[in-house]
């Protein structure tokens, strides 16, 4: 297996040019947001979405 970055691994399915902004949040905030999205919109998303 060659030396690849994370971008190389997801680059085929994710278009990085679509990112408008990035904000670092705590785990608690991320999971709270994931729960909110599940309750309000019925979408099952992970903590990295928050």
């Amino acid at each position: 297996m060659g030396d690849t970055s994370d971008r190389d691994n997801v680059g085929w399915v994710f278009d990085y040019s679509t990112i408008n902004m990035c904000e670092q949040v705590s785990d608690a905030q991320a999971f709270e947001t994931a729960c909110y999205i599940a309750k309000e919109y019925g979408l099952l998303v992970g903590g990295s979405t928050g």
Side-chain angles (χ1 to χ4, degrees), residues 30-31 33-50:
F31 288 114
T33 301
C35 287
Y36 171 80
I37 291 171
K39 260 192 233 180
E40 292 297 314
Y41 301 102
L43 298 173
L44 300 177
V45 296
S48 62
T49 307

Side-chain angles (χ1 to χ4, degrees), residues 15-46:
D15 182 2
Y16 284 85
S17 69
T18 61
I19 299 173
N20 293 328
M21 66 180 239
C22 184
E23 187 171 332
Q24 189 170 3
V25 298
S26 69
D27 285 345
Q29 290 170 314
F31 288 114
E32 182 179 343
T33 301
C35 287
Y36 171 80
I37 291 171
K39 260 192 233 180
E40 292 297 314
Y41 301 102
L43 298 173
L44 300 177
V45 296

Side-chain angles (χ1 to χ4, degrees), residues 5-21:
S5 69
D6 287 339
R7 180 179 166 85
D8 292 335
N9 292 329
V10 297
W12 292 102
V13 296
F14 184 76
D15 182 2
Y16 284 85
S17 69
T18 61
I19 299 173
N20 293 328
M21 66 180 239

